Amino acid sequence: MDDVGGETIADYIEEILAWNMDVATWNSVTDLRLHVGNVSPDAIRRMGAIMGEAMRGRAGGRAAVVSHNAGLRFLLNLARLFIPGHELRAFSDMATAYAWAAGQKVDLPAEMATAGWGRVAA
């Protein structure tokens, strides 16, 4: 995604959901390993409002975010406040993220598990 900011991502989510609101309930994998843009709390709040409207009380899907940035866990914890009904988890490799998003049980390497990857923070 290069240096795309959070508002651009929210615009994209809004555009996709205008095409098909059911997308809000689908499982997804987002690759942010090369992302260098800013995703602000306001952008996350906007994404949550857009997703919440599209979900219309239905359960959300699993959203796996792949990143090498350990700070992503903070953003996902923030996103959980604004995007209820989705399971949001961070991963550092694509294969594990795809497996989890597909509903498979995922066993992380010990060094990743202790760093909190792939877990919901308490």
Side-chain angles (χ1 to χ4, degrees):
M1 293 185 68
D2 208 22
D3 62 352
V4 174
E7 289 301 321
T8 302
I9 296 168
D11 290 343
Y12 180 72
I13 290 171
E14 194 167 45
E15 181 181 322
I16 292 295
L17 293 176
W19 168 71
N20 182 351
M21 291 174 62
D22 288 338
V23 173
T25 65
W26 294 358
N27 294 347
S28 65
V29 177
T30 303
D31 186 354
L32 294 180
R33 290 174 295 179
L34 299 178
H35 184 260
V36 294
N38 180 31
V39 179
S40 69
D42 287 337
I44 293 172
R45 186 178 295 116
R46 182 173 163 223
M47 289 176 212
I50 294 166
M51 294 289 286
E53 184 178 319
M55 288 168 53
R56 298 174 300 206
R58 299 177 294 170
R62 289 181 162 200
V65 182
V66 183
S67 175
H68 298 303
N69 181 350
L72 177 70
R73 291 192 73 236
F74 169 77
L75 287 177
L76 286 182
N77 284 335
L78 182 63
R80 285 183 187 99
L81 296 174
F82 298 116
I83 309 175
H86 270 74
E87 286 186 69
L88 305 170
R89 295 207 183 167
F91 295 89
S92 64
D93 72 277
M94 195 61 80
T96 307
Y98 273 113
W100 178 80
Q104 299 173 11
K105 184 176 179 323
V106 176
D107 293 320
L108 297 172
E111 65 275 9
M112 286 175 61
T114 57
W117 291 100
R119 289 188 306 184
V120 177

